[in-house]
Amino acid sequence: MRAAHTIVALLVLLCVSCSDNIRTFHLSGSGTGAGDTLYLYGMDNRYPQMDTIVAGNDGKFSHTIPADTLFPLGLLMPAGKEVIVYAEPDIAATVAPDSVQKNRWKVTSGTTQHTYDSIAAIVEPLGVVQRQEKITSFVEENPLNEVGIMLFRRYLMEAPTATNRHLREILNKFGGRLQDNDYIVSTRSKLEQRSSTANVLYASMPSFDYKEMDDSTKISNRRYKEKFTVLSFWASWDTLSRNHLKAINDTCQRYKKEQVTLLNISLDHDTAQWRSTVLTDSIGGDHVCDLKMWNNALVKRYNVNTLPYSVIIGPQLMSVGYNIAPDKLGHKLDSLINHYEEEKKKKDTLLKKKRR
């Protein structure tokens, strides 16, 4: 019996000691309407939830959350204004109407909060170029300060004012552990995707001079003018791209050769295997394999980094779509062809009027 009491006592002491180790962040405020609802949410996965806070009849509110490290929060006020609040362990922050600026809220908290609010007040009224320069300078001088991430996020990324190249340059200036921050990692991926899209869409088809499968007939990009061309990248050793190519071929067969053609660029390294696969799969269109694989000029031009991959080339040899799923390719081609023919009719009509 005494042993049982001892165990219970130890458990109680353990629970008390554990509770004493829990670190928290306390947020309180005033100036809202009676019963107003506020929303508190994490700006990254360190606080992956949203809390609802209801103000009392006196317009005051209070809320406490666990915080064993520093992380940013968004506080959505009743009028829709988002206030950035930095949660810091064992810190109490207060939110109240700004006595200087109307319709603004002032946060009183720790050092990080003060740094963010001070720089944000300077950055917000600036023009595009000055804003970018100010944030860049801050990150350069404070590469390990999380405030730079929020400045970048609110004043550059969410309200785009810089090119992808400049945004990537700023991200690269963050140091150490901040390079592993979820927001920086995901943003860098988005920017790379944006850059890839910009480089592929509406890019001109480069000049080339390839031999077809018979090794005697040469083809160049001039062959594909005045029609739509589906440029398909594939390889005999990649089953997924082979199946993808078959599906694209089936779709293209429905169109006249004057409307749509298929140019297949193989990334094979074995000429015999490439030819054998083309004949076995009965794939139509033009076939090219220069044995340069990922170093092929068209592969580089259209940022091909995975298989399967496809690009739609328009009558003026400009890319007008890429990576369209085979089951949606027909709809896309119909839309492009109809638009092209309508524009051609308009030009012909205008030309006839001028001749009169």
Side-chain angles (χ1 to χ4, degrees), residues 44-46 146 149 171 174-186 188:
D44 58 37
N45 65 1
R46 284 173 288 184
E146 286 206 16
I149 297 178
L171 285 180
F174 286 99
R177 58 182 176 78
L178 292 190
Q179 282 296 328
D180 295 324
N181 179 278
D182 284 346
Y183 179 76
I184 288 182
V185 172
S186 63
R188 182 174 281 112

Side-chain angles (χ1 to χ4, degrees), residues 251 254-255 326-336 338:
T251 298
R254 304 196 326 243
Y255 298 88
D327 59 338
K328 296 180 181 179
L329 179 60
H331 178 73
K332 179 68 174 179
L333 287 172
D334 289 341
S335 176
L336 289 170
N338 290 336

Side-chain angles (χ1 to χ4, degrees), residues 122-166:
I122 296 172
V123 167
E124 194 160 322
L126 295 178
V128 172
V129 177
Q130 294 86 352
R131 179 180 288 184
Q132 180 182 320
E133 290 175 348
K134 185 65 180 178
I135 294 175
T136 301
S137 296
F138 179 84
V139 175
E140 285 177 339
E141 296 169 8
N142 307 274
L144 298 177
N145 195 321
E146 286 206 16
V147 165
I149 297 178
M150 189 55 64
L151 292 171
F152 174 91
R153 179 172 180 170
R154 295 197 84 194
Y155 297 107
L156 293 181
M157 195 66 190
E158 292 181 1
T161 56
T163 63
N164 287 348
R165 179 174 63 83
H166 288 142

Side-chain angles (χ1 to χ4, degrees), residues 199-210:
N199 289 337
V200 174
L201 207 53
Y202 308 121
S204 60
M205 193 180 200
S207 298
F208 58 81
D209 192 11
Y210 292 129

